Amino acid sequence: VECFLMGVAIDPDAAARLRSLAPQFQRMVIDRGPLMGTRNPSSVLITRIRDAETGRLLPSQVPVPQPGMQVEPGIERIIKEYSLDDRCASTLRGLAPEQQRKVIDMPLHEARNASAFLMSQLAMGAAGLSASGPRQPRDPTATMAGTFGASLARW
């Protein structure tokens, strides 16, 4: 908890609330990703705490990478280049290496919102991608319509 709060200007009351949470709720809040770069870190923290306490914030299935953790450079490049949100970035880092290679080859330059595009592809199980591991698509004819459908066929 202290490492998570370090280096971010957090209101003392917000920090105290995080410290007083049960460990499983602290983990949910921390797994949402760092607070650096948010306009109002204290507000973001309080919202995450409230969501954890009310059940709207579910435990993360993909851990946030720890300092020194080995990560795929291509995935990190995509996260940075397309400014992917914390949830998407954490999900990509948690994919198996073969799934990460598929993501690297996806036509993200055509996506209006790369995070939403990737998360929808994972949810649909496109090309065997899934946050829970490889799986067969439910219906091979059910691909994203329009621009993305044509783009997916290329990779």
Side-chain angles (χ1 to χ4, degrees), residues 4-137:
F4 178 73
L5 295 173
M6 194 179 309
V8 183
I10 299 289
D11 178 69
D13 292 335
R17 265 188 83 183
L18 179 63
R19 289 183 187 106
S20 70
L21 282 178
Q24 69 270 19
F25 291 139
Q26 289 175 340
R27 173 58 38 210
M28 285 184 227
V29 170
I30 292 169
D31 282 352
R32 289 287 308 271
L35 298 170
M36 276 188 241
T38 60
R39 190 169 48 142
N40 186 338
S42 294
S43 177
V44 171
L45 179 60
I46 292 296
T47 299
R48 290 180 186 180
I49 291 169
R50 185 182 60 238
D51 289 349
E53 291 173 330
T54 61
R56 287 186 292 187
L57 183 61
L58 300 175
S60 175
Q61 297 177 1
V62 180
V64 173
Q66 301 300 316
M69 180 179 171
Q70 198 107 15
V71 294
E72 169 62 41
I75 290 295
E76 292 305 312
R77 178 188 56 78
I78 287 172
I79 291 168
K80 184 176 180 181
E81 182 177 337
Y82 294 99
S83 301
L84 300 180
D85 63 36
D86 291 341
R87 180 172 172 239
C88 183
S90 294
T91 300
L92 294 182
R93 288 179 180 124
L95 291 174
E98 64 275 3
Q99 293 174 307
Q100 289 181 343
R101 285 189 289 278
K102 289 179 181 182
V103 168
I104 291 168
D105 293 335
M106 293 181 87
L108 298 179
H109 64 280
E110 296 179 17
R112 189 176 291 166
N113 179 335
S115 294
F117 173 73
L118 285 168
M119 294 306 286
S120 70
Q121 294 303 300
L122 289 166
M124 290 182 358
L129 290 177
S130 170
S132 60
R135 67 176 182 190
Q136 295 297 321

